[in-house]
Amino acid sequence: MQQPCCFRGVRVLDGPRRVVSRACAAGPAGGLWGMQRSSTRGRSGAGRDVEAVLDELYTTPPPRFVPRREELAAAARTAGRAEDARRIHAARRPTLAAWAANLLLRSRPEEARRLLELGEALREAYRTLDAAELKALSAQRRIAAALTQQAALLADEAGHPLSAAVRQDVEATLQAVLADQEAADRWAGGRLHTALSPPSAFPGTPAAADTGPPPAEPPAEPAAEPSAPPPKGSTPPPKDRLAEQRRKRQERLERAREAAREAADRLDEERSARAAAEAGLHRARERHEEARRRVADAEQRLRRAEEDLADAGRERHDAEERDRAAKDALARAERAAREADRELRRLDRGAGTRPGR
């Protein structure tokens, strides 16, 4: 007897396949996401720190992502964790749809686990061509729509409501999780920076849903002789042409969406780099102006010092002139004194030798 897993109003059948029963047997930390979180918990302490920082960063709304990223990177650099700072700074800003998908994963872990399990079961049924189980599982495609609604509610509660186009991107991401193992692994990491696109050929994707639910397993037909290939240049049936045109349009649309997302990411990165450059230029201009003021003050002090030096030089020259004049006057006075002294002695000698009367 099948045991249903309750999925917010959608019943996910736990079928007889081994992969589904094994996944449902795991707890809330089971499945792809649980295994990834467990491996994260087994890392070193520093590793856990940066992993937790990145997990928190990717649940930050896109408008606040870049400032928060730079704040966290600066904190890691200040703490001496250069490699952690490099990893944080390299984190790419998520689109609104990618952020909503990350937020859904973190906020609704049980539903996320069951979506991952359903995708694993769908892919297994598709690989083994189990038409009966594939039909039963494909009927649960509405889970992606239900989770998209939950993601929209979470985004609205966070103050960032999703437009209809963004909701389509979220649902396309969840359909990709159902259809593709690599997409499931990326979403399970909780760090999407862009929305995912499901493969157009997988049952349950929007492209395949246009044709209705998968048909029941067709009755066996007798083996037929291999037919010769159609002649070269023959026109394919109209139905095949329409399907091919629809597939090509879907591929072009997916490429255009991806190019637009990448362009938006690059624009955000360039804006962030420009803001950082402008801030650096502002700081450099302030330092230059301060240095210019210091140079002007120093030049003014130098001019005053040169003027003082010139004044001191003139005073020294005048003093030297006065000193020379005083020396000359002293020398003349000394000569005059000596001459007067000689004259006095001469007169004294003459007076002493004159005969008496």
Side-chain angles (χ1 to χ4, degrees):
M1 179 178 178
Q2 292 180 334
Q3 298 296 324
C5 297
C6 184
F7 193 92
R8 296 270 178 172
V10 179
R11 293 166 67 84
V12 181
L13 295 179
D14 182 8
R17 288 227 168 259
R18 177 179 56 84
V19 63
V20 181
S21 61
R22 173 169 50 84
C24 282
L32 296 174
W33 180 53
M35 288 188 285
Q36 182 163 357
R37 296 300 96 191
S38 297
S39 64
T40 300
R41 287 194 296 270
R43 298 177 185 174
S44 64
R48 284 200 304 272
D49 288 343
V50 71
E51 296 302 325
V53 166
L54 289 171
D55 287 344
E56 180 256 329
L57 181 60
Y58 272 94
T59 58
T60 302
R64 299 200 301 270
F65 183 90
V66 173
R68 181 60 176 159
R69 180 189 66 189
E70 298 310 310
E71 178 185 347
L72 293 171
R77 280 193 296 270
T78 302
R81 302 197 307 272
E83 178 60 22
D84 290 354
R86 185 196 65 77
R87 286 190 60 194
I88 295 169
H89 184 71
R92 297 182 63 182
R93 176 183 181 273
T95 63
L96 193 57
W99 165 74
N102 294 333
L103 186 63
L104 175 68
L105 180 83
R106 302 291 182 196
S107 304
R108 299 289 186 268
E110 183 65 17
E111 287 88 339
R113 178 181 67 85
R114 288 169 178 164
L115 183 72
L116 292 168
E117 292 167 1
L118 175 61
E120 191 174 357
L122 272 169
R123 292 189 297 274
E124 176 68 15
Y126 188 64
R127 281 192 299 268
T128 58
L129 300 179
D130 188 332
E133 185 168 0
L134 186 59
K135 181 178 180 181
L137 293 172
S138 295
Q140 301 174 45
R141 290 175 307 196
R142 63 185 182 276
I143 289 175
L147 279 179
T148 300
Q149 181 64 24
Q150 289 194 33
L153 291 174
L154 290 170
D156 189 62
E157 290 173 0
H160 297 275
L162 306 184
S163 66
V166 174
R167 291 190 185 200
Q168 288 178 358
D169 286 343
V170 174
E171 185 167 358
T173 297
L174 300 180
Q175 293 285 4
V177 170
L178 290 175
D180 183 67
Q181 180 66 56
E182 182 180 354
D185 291 343
R186 289 179 61 189
W187 183 60
R191 298 174 193 171
L192 291 180
H193 63 83
T194 185
L196 304 177
S197 298
S200 57
F202 186 82
T205 61
D210 294 341
T211 61
E217 186 174 5
E221 297 181 357
E225 292 293 331
S227 59
K232 190 173 183 180
S234 62
T235 304
K239 184 176 180 180
D240 292 344
R241 285 202 308 273
L242 183 60
E244 179 66 14
Q245 291 172 0
R246 193 162 52 237
R247 183 186 66 80
K248 289 182 178 179
R249 280 198 303 270
Q250 181 69 19
E251 289 178 353
R252 287 195 299 269
L253 178 60
E254 289 172 2
R255 288 194 296 269
R257 282 178 176 172
E258 183 63 24
R261 294 181 193 116
E262 291 179 357
D265 288 344
R266 286 194 300 271
L267 177 61
D268 290 335
E269 293 295 331
E270 292 302 328
R271 283 174 174 168
S272 175
R274 173 66 187 278
E278 286 180 342
L281 177 60
H282 180 69
R283 290 192 297 270
R285 283 174 173 168
E286 288 183 340
R287 290 196 300 271
H288 179 269
E289 182 62 23
E290 178 63 25
R292 190 194 64 77
R293 285 195 295 268
R294 289 199 300 270
V295 168
D297 292 344
E299 288 176 344
Q300 187 175 4
R301 289 194 299 272
L302 177 61
R303 284 193 298 270
R304 288 197 296 265
E306 288 175 342
E307 291 172 356
D308 292 343
L309 178 61
D311 292 342
R314 287 190 292 270
E315 290 177 1
R316 176 185 173 184
H317 179 267
D318 293 343
E320 287 175 345
E321 289 294 327
R322 289 192 297 271
D323 181 65
R324 281 193 296 270
K327 286 172 65 177
D328 292 343
L330 177 62
R332 287 193 300 270
E334 287 176 344
R335 284 195 302 270
R338 284 194 299 271
E339 290 176 356
D341 185 64
R342 283 195 301 270
E343 180 64 19
L344 177 62
R345 286 196 299 271
R346 185 182 63 79
L347 293 174
D348 285 343
R349 283 194 303 271
T353 60
R354 178 178 300 178
R357 297 186 174 185

